[in-house]
Amino acid sequence: MPESVLSLGDKAGLPPGSVVHVGEPVHEPARIDVLSYDASTFTVGGEDALNDLQTILQLPKTVWIKIQGIHDVGVVERVGHGCGLHPLVMEDIANTLQRPKKEDYGDYLFIALKLLEFDREKQRVEDRQVSIILGEGFVISFVEGANDPFAHLLERIRTAAGRIQRMGAEFLAYCLIDSVVDGYFSLTEELEDFIEALEEEVLLNPHPATVRRLYDLKLMTMAARRAVWPLRQMLGGLAGGDSVRFTDRTIPYLRDVHDHVVQALEALEELKENLTIMFELYHSSIGNRLNEVMKVLTLVATVFIPLTFLTGLYGMNFRHMPGLEWKWGYPLILSVMFTLATGMIILYRRKKWL
Amino acid sequence: MPESVLSLGDKAGLPPGSVVHVGEPVHEPARIDVLSYDASTFTVGGEDALNDLQTILQLPKTVWIKIQGIHDVGVVERVGHGCGLHPLVMEDIANTLQRPKKEDYGDYLFIALKLLEFDREKQRVEDRQVSIILGEGFVISFVEGANDPFAHLLERIRTAAGRIQRMGAEFLAYCLIDSVVDGYFSLTEELEDFIEALEEEVLLNPHPATVRRLYDLKLMTMAARRAVWPLRQMLGGLAGGDSVRFTDRTIPYLRDVHDHVVQALEALEELKENLTIMFELYHSSIGNRLNEVMKVLTLVATVFIPLTFLTGLYGMNFRHMPGLEWKWGYPLILSVMFTLATGMIILYRRKKWL
Amino acid sequence: MPESVLSLGDKAGLPPGSVVHVGEPVHEPARIDVLSYDASTFTVGGEDALNDLQTILQLPKTVWIKIQGIHDVGVVERVGHGCGLHPLVMEDIANTLQRPKKEDYGDYLFIALKLLEFDREKQRVEDRQVSIILGEGFVISFVEGANDPFAHLLERIRTAAGRIQRMGAEFLAYCLIDSVVDGYFSLTEELEDFIEALEEEVLLNPHPATVRRLYDLKLMTMAARRAVWPLRQMLGGLAGGDSVRFTDRTIPYLRDVHDHVVQALEALEELKENLTIMFELYHSSIGNRLNEVMKVLTLVATVFIPLTFLTGLYGMNFRHMPGLEWKWGYPLILSVMFTLATGMIILYRRKKWL
Amino acid sequence: MPESVLSLGDKAGLPPGSVVHVGEPVHEPARIDVLSYDASTFTVGGEDALNDLQTILQLPKTVWIKIQGIHDVGVVERVGHGCGLHPLVMEDIANTLQRPKKEDYGDYLFIALKLLEFDREKQRVEDRQVSIILGEGFVISFVEGANDPFAHLLERIRTAAGRIQRMGAEFLAYCLIDSVVDGYFSLTEELEDFIEALEEEVLLNPHPATVRRLYDLKLMTMAARRAVWPLRQMLGGLAGGDSVRFTDRTIPYLRDVHDHVVQALEALEELKENLTIMFELYHSSIGNRLNEVMKVLTLVATVFIPLTFLTGLYGMNFRHMPGLEWKWGYPLILSVMFTLATGMIILYRRKKWL
Amino acid sequence: MPESVLSLGDKAGLPPGSVVHVGEPVHEPARIDVLSYDASTFTVGGEDALNDLQTILQLPKTVWIKIQGIHDVGVVERVGHGCGLHPLVMEDIANTLQRPKKEDYGDYLFIALKLLEFDREKQRVEDRQVSIILGEGFVISFVEGANDPFAHLLERIRTAAGRIQRMGAEFLAYCLIDSVVDGYFSLTEELEDFIEALEEEVLLNPHPATVRRLYDLKLMTMAARRAVWPLRQMLGGLAGGDSVRFTDRTIPYLRDVHDHVVQALEALEELKENLTIMFELYHSSIGNRLNEVMKVLTLVATVFIPLTFLTGLYGMNFRHMPGLEWKWGYPLILSVMFTLATGMIILYRRKKWL
């Protein structure tokens, strides 16, 4: 059985429930922390703690099994079997293309989320898979990639004796979700800055590369929206008391994070509108340039073409042409030309073509 | 803990329930009025009254705690703790980016609204956060900024003995909402005037700055719509008896204000349609100008190019060219040219190109 | 208290429930008819009958209080107080900007509608406010403006002894609604005629004024749609038995009028589609003209520019130029030019550019 | 009372429930067949059978009253009164502008449908009104126009002893609906053929008449969609057991015809998409032609304008011009011109402008 | 009765329930396999097994009747009658234009799906009809065409003793659906590759054939979406416990495949967005080219036209023209021309027209 495939199409032939890492292969080992705490005590263990999982879960404490890196299918399976997870849940955890969803398996609640970050160097939005499992007195979190988004939470549990210590596993699960959702605001702000920076380019120096960049931004905004959108319903449901895992103590906080999701979605909608307007401005800007260029062409051509005709007229070699012999013929024709040109320019100005 | 942050992204690292002023920093002190009244009596106190909050709330009167300015987090917390508000409510009050919503906390109903005003100088729509808390016999209102939108209500309670005195806290809450919603009509009318003023510019003198202004108007209209939209459902719910805080005596008034919200939304929709039409007119106008310019170019070029060819023909230096020596050669060629030019102009006129 | 204000924004400062005429000021007196009838008898009174309102409403007859003109706030208030209407209902009756709605106040049902007429002279759609109140055994109707849309109903009640006499107040209310809805078909037909008349202009002689007119039509169609749209749900509800005021005897008729509203909405949708197509035809038509003009320019320019070059060539003053001295030089160059021109025209024809 | 009016606007003044033929006047008499049959027997009568309607309906047989042509209001009223139809049903039968709907009057179910046919000669879609009434043991069908769409059904009942004979009135009603729906597929196929035929014209020889024809097709497609759309919900309801008139024996067949309606709607959607693409192709095609024409103009103009300038240069009459006297001046300038022209053409080719 | 018709329009005249092969005629015989297996045993029979169908279905095993090729109406009818299928189900199986749906007939569940494959040679998406019938202990599958998409399933049942052997008929049905859905991911990936390959062509070498290809891709994407869309609701329903045929053991797997369908739909949406962007890029690209060409024309024309006028001026044959006799006249005029040309080019550069 392959340990890592690149896309869901490649996985087509495997039987359902196969735990395979779907996504780009990663070579660093997964980092595992097993925390157990209550309002006054705090213990932390590493990978070895997985061996005593049954004992730890029995403790009257909040247990947080925190796994950073999901490419190591062995770890996913070990934790999964230790906590009695359904094979399909393990499959979903390992699949980084999994879309956000929640599923209630009775004993535990499975939540899949997307962590979104704007990579300034590559100028694109990176998404990472976050899976949260909330059971009776324990939370398991799986995060794709090496960068730990929950470090500050771990720190807060270790150091301060606040709400997070007192309010148990469901509040911890809420804090994890809240961390992920807070990241969406940073993302939209970065995208807004990027768009603002493009506006000057659009108005003053529009070229096809600008369009390409606008489209990339649009695709990113839409991808972000797709990643955030399912949370609206999911958190709406949890805030409405869908799952017994979240009690009345935590539900106001879920309503709050649901609110944030709606606000992030609105910010993304606004970004999309702004981009649409940027496209329109681009086209106006380009159209305006063409118009200006055409006006210059028309001005020069329509002024000089009749004059050139006149010069041609008096350049003809007919023997009998009145005026050629006149002393004032040349100055006369020059002043006729000057009058003609001036008249046309005045006419054009009046018609606002210039 | 920072007292004031600029955006929700900056707030990302803080624990939930932190009461932080999100928005632009303000330096004037908040103004606090504590009113208590019934059909016949009326008392008003300042900031000091916050110390006796428990006593005042026990009185068999309607109490209105009116706070102007929400950047002073201390005041928000003091009032919040005095009246037993949930930490998340206090957080929402201090957050000026909070979107409109209502939340029922059992003991009290929390309503967040946006006050919208068109700033003629800056030519943009300013929104201010209004939070209303309706409890048993009391109303608390928080308004962002220095300008008081509820001054006329305070005056009416002080002076006249009308419905507002007799009908208690829920009617007061309705009056506050109604004040905010009435402001939306003034806004849409100002925007309409602005659009009408642009129409002439679009038709007679279209240039890219016009497009920029139209887009700013569109963004403003959409922002206003986003601020008003959630009220539709919120007030629909309250008018339908969602909350025990509003009784049958006030519900017809809520239906009325719900109606006004729907009407304001329709006015904003109409503005958006008008703007779409303005864009189309702009493009028609620009396209029409290009067409006119091209027609002139074509007319001048196609009439004179053949004539210039003729002059070139008779400007050639061939020794043996019939006609050059003729006495009537020159007049003849002139009349040929004249006929040709006239013929082409007649042709173009007939084809409606001119 | 002002008796007449022009817009809802101007009304912003007034306390809710203020009966103020919102709309353009009118100077003719309101016309009041008080009818009472049953299957066999028929009585009619004027304004004086308002004094005996209590007595008249007690009669075992159907009473129709018919008011033409709602700017006279005194009349609205007098009838309202006489029949025990809620202050908000009176406010809505006087407000000509009120959107269509129905509201059930228990004792009576309040229905607000828009009467739509196409004013051929001003070339725009005029809307007038119609308010209908259906109570136990009585109907009150208020119509904005001087023109009476219900004259034929009054006539029918007076003269014929048909369904309308036998079936009581609810059938009368239905007849009033049906009258208003019938007017929508006349309107859509007038708009269709108008659009058809514009089609020829669009295809044969498109100019920016055409676009302006199309946009006016589009705005009118959308305004009409907005006025008709709320009736769909309103009548759907009444036909579904929402209100106890309408019994099974009248409900099939309401279903019928609901059907008509749906049909009118479809006709308006179709108008909108037709207008969209007209815009597209306009743009095709304009683009086609530009193309034709450009083709002529290209044809003339590309045929004559090479020829003119040739004439220039033989107009140079080099001493040693072969051909200038030849006897057949001139005819030769002429035939070369002719061949060149013919060849290019044939080439263009083949490429279908001409 | 007028017997025939052309549009619903003309009918505005009439009292509701007036049975008036709305539609284009027709002059052929209506054809009436009264069939009664069971699994083994079959009788058919003409117009006279209407006199014994009561007797026939009492028979323990399936009765099909089949009326071809609905302009004869007398027949509609006679059948309607004989079978106890509501006046509004009779009005709807006579109104050919009636949109598709079903209405359950308890004793019978009224279904209005549109028969759609593509008239190749007039190149437009004709719709005809079909009304079906399904009661206890009887079906009444009214079809607009002279052409009988149900002839094959009559034939099948007369000749074969199959499901249709055994399964009673509800199955007959289903067969009528199925006949009408089957016609929608023939229509979409004709429209598809028509569109395919236009595609070549669009790509090779686009002109404004093409646009006109595309728009006509779009209007037809949308009209067809409007006629079919209401059947989706109507048949969905009947297949879901909305009406007691259809029992479990027939419901699988109704699900099947509902399925066909959905499929026909999808085919119409696809047609609309195809048409949108045709418009886009038209515009691409036109734009491409303009581009090609402009390229030719630019090529000819930019190559010859500098050359003509050179000829003009050496056509000047300055006394002291170097080169004019040289023996090789003329050949030299010719080769300069040739090099210049070749260079420009190569440059243009490289920039892919040619 | 015809055995094979090409379109639903052709089938219009046939009575409902006629089992006719709708689709392109095929000439290979259908292939029939009858499998029966449980966790430990496995038997397979060919077409002959159809004769013992009753016996086989009674066995306490899972029976899979696997038919490859549905054009052979005789086989469909034989299997249908043997298993007691409704005539309409048999009709739907034989109709390859059947849209995806599920229907519960009590004794069995009928599911129609589309198998989608991208044919690289013909560059189009082929769809094949798959019908699945799930009854008590048996599954019947019908696949259109010769290519067997379920071969790997048959192999897995034959060789491995896994979930598929143990979990009975409903799991087998799920596996069949899952196979079909997995194919959608391969399809979207192929389409994505195709679009990516077109992007370079759009940006560097856009021509009308590119548009044609983009439109073909759009039509294919939309057709695929139409084929997948109904599965969303269908599988959502089954995963929600709509049918008694699927029990809690299989429902998590159905939720998983429902998830995959949603993901495939999102991928198709994304493809559509990408295509829209490609069209826009195409138009930008074309517009940009026109602009560049026009700029070159304008540059050349506006620089040389004034110069040519000057040469014409000094080519006139007036006797008295100052300068012609000067020694430095010619160099002077040359340097005037040079200055003029340089000045104009500098001006154009500054205005960013070049």
Side-chain angles (χ1 to χ4, degrees), chain B residues 229-353:
Chain B
W229 181 254
L231 271 70
R232 186 188 185 130
Q233 208 189 345
M234 180 203 303
L235 291 171
L238 292 178
D242 255 18
S243 165
V244 295
R245 292 283 142 219
F246 287 104
T247 62
D248 278 1
R249 287 199 312 166
T250 316
I251 277 179
Y253 293 91
L254 286 176
R255 282 203 309 231
D256 194 62
V257 73
H258 174 247
D259 228 66
H260 287 176
V261 163
V262 173
Q263 202 168 340
L265 282 171
E266 284 187 356
L268 287 168
E269 280 301 319
E270 213 180 318
L271 275 176
K272 236 181 84 185
E273 285 160 16
N274 264 309
L275 279 167
T276 306
I277 286 177
M278 297 290 277
F279 283 119
E280 296 274 350
L281 277 181
Y282 173 85
H283 286 297
S284 291
S285 199
I286 285 283
N288 191 54
R289 262 149 197 276
L290 181 61
N291 259 9
E292 276 189 49
V293 165
M294 291 306 297
K295 275 181 190 168
V296 170
L297 174 61
T298 301
L299 173 71
V300 171
T302 52
V303 167
F304 281 101
I305 283 175
L307 304 187
T308 303
F309 163 70
L310 282 180
T311 69
L313 206 66
Y314 287 95
M316 291 194 298
N317 296 321
F318 286 100
R319 175 148 310 174
H320 306 287
M321 282 177 69
L324 289 183
E325 314 296 324
W326 296 358
K327 195 162 180 193
W328 299 108
Y330 181 61
L332 188 71
I333 202 74
L334 276 189
S335 58
V336 164
M337 285 175 179
F338 185 78
T339 313
L340 206 66
T342 315
M344 289 184 84
I345 289 174
I346 288 172
L347 180 76
Y348 290 175
R349 272 208 189 278
R350 226 174 253 168
K351 295 223 173 183
K352 300 243 172 194
W353 291 335

Side-chain angles (χ1 to χ4, degrees), chain A residues 43-341:
Chain A
T43 342
V44 63
E47 192 165 354
D48 303 337
L50 290 188
N51 302 326
D52 311 309
L53 223 45
Q54 296 306 332
T55 330
I56 294 172
L57 290 177
Q58 301 302 331
L59 293 178
K61 292 183 165 193
T62 305
V63 177
W64 178 13
I65 305 167
K66 179 169 172 302
I67 291 114
Q68 185 71 30
I70 60 171
H71 50 282
D72 186 348
V73 170
V75 173
V76 174
E77 285 191 321
R78 218 166 131 206
V79 175
H81 290 308
C83 302
L85 303 183
H86 195 280
L88 285 171
V89 170
M90 290 190 267
E91 191 186 349
D92 286 344
I93 290 166
N95 172 8
T96 66
L97 304 178
Q98 177 58 47
R99 57 191 295 276
K101 69 170 178 181
K102 72 161 197 282
E103 253 165 56
D104 205 329
Y105 279 84
D107 285 344
Y108 54 89
L109 181 72
F110 169 59
I111 293 170
L113 300 168
K114 290 285 176 195
L115 195 72
L116 299 177
E117 285 148 330
F118 185 67
D119 186 328
R120 278 164 190 271
E121 268 179 57
K122 299 189 194 157
Q123 297 209 337
R124 64 189 180 107
V125 174
E126 302 287 341
D127 67 289
R128 290 196 282 150
Q129 174 78 2
V130 174
S131 305
I132 296 167
I133 285 140
L134 169 62
E136 188 60 40
F138 70 93
V139 168
I140 319 175
S141 69
F142 295 87
V143 179
E144 184 190 352
N147 198 357
D148 184 0
F150 297 145
H152 69 284
L153 275 179
L154 197 149
E155 205 45 42
R156 216 195 298 161
I157 295 175
R158 195 197 307 272
T159 58
R163 249 188 299 246
I164 197 165
Q165 274 85 346
R166 289 192 318 269
M167 288 181 68
E170 56 176 304
F171 194 79
L172 175 59
Y174 151 72
C175 286
L176 297 176
I177 298 170
D178 190 54
S179 277
V180 171
V181 171
D182 274 353
Y184 299 159
F185 290 106
S186 314
L187 174 72
T188 53
E189 280 161 26
E190 297 233 33
L191 288 175
E192 266 163 31
D193 292 352
F194 198 5
I195 290 176
E196 223 159 273
L198 272 175
E199 185 168 348
E200 206 178 348
E201 189 177 319
V202 164
L203 282 172
L204 299 182
N205 190 20
H207 47 90
T210 319
V211 182
R212 183 67 264 183
R213 232 166 295 158
L214 286 175
Y215 279 124
D216 285 344
L217 269 170
K218 195 172 181 188
L219 285 179
M220 281 190 274
T221 308
M222 285 159 108
R225 199 178 166 283
R226 257 197 305 277
V228 181
W229 181 255
L231 270 71
R232 186 187 185 130
Q233 208 189 346
M234 180 203 303
L235 290 171
L238 292 178
D242 257 18
S243 164
V244 296
R245 290 285 141 219
F246 286 105
T247 62
D248 278 1
R249 287 197 313 166
T250 315
I251 277 179
Y253 293 91
L254 287 176
R255 281 204 309 230
D256 194 62
V257 73
H258 174 247
D259 227 66
H260 288 175
V261 163
V262 173
Q263 202 168 342
L265 282 170
E266 285 187 355
L268 288 168
E269 279 302 320
E270 213 180 316
L271 275 176
K272 235 180 85 184
E273 285 161 15
N274 264 309
L275 280 167
T276 307
I277 286 178
M278 297 289 278
F279 283 119
E280 296 274 349
L281 277 181
Y282 173 84
H283 286 297
S284 291
S285 198
I286 286 283
N288 191 54
R289 261 147 198 276
L290 180 62
N291 259 9
E292 276 189 49
V293 164
M294 291 306 298
K295 275 181 190 168
V296 170
L297 173 60
T298 302
L299 173 71
V300 171
T302 52
V303 167
F304 281 100
I305 283 175
L307 304 187
T308 304
F309 163 69
L310 281 181
T311 68
L313 206 67
Y314 288 95
M316 290 193 299
N317 296 323
F318 286 101
R319 176 149 309 175
H320 305 287
M321 282 177 69
L324 288 183
E325 313 296 324
W326 297 357
K327 194 162 183 194
W328 298 107
Y330 181 60
L332 189 71
I333 201 75
L334 275 189
S335 58
V336 164
M337 285 174 178
F338 184 78
T339 311
L340 206 66

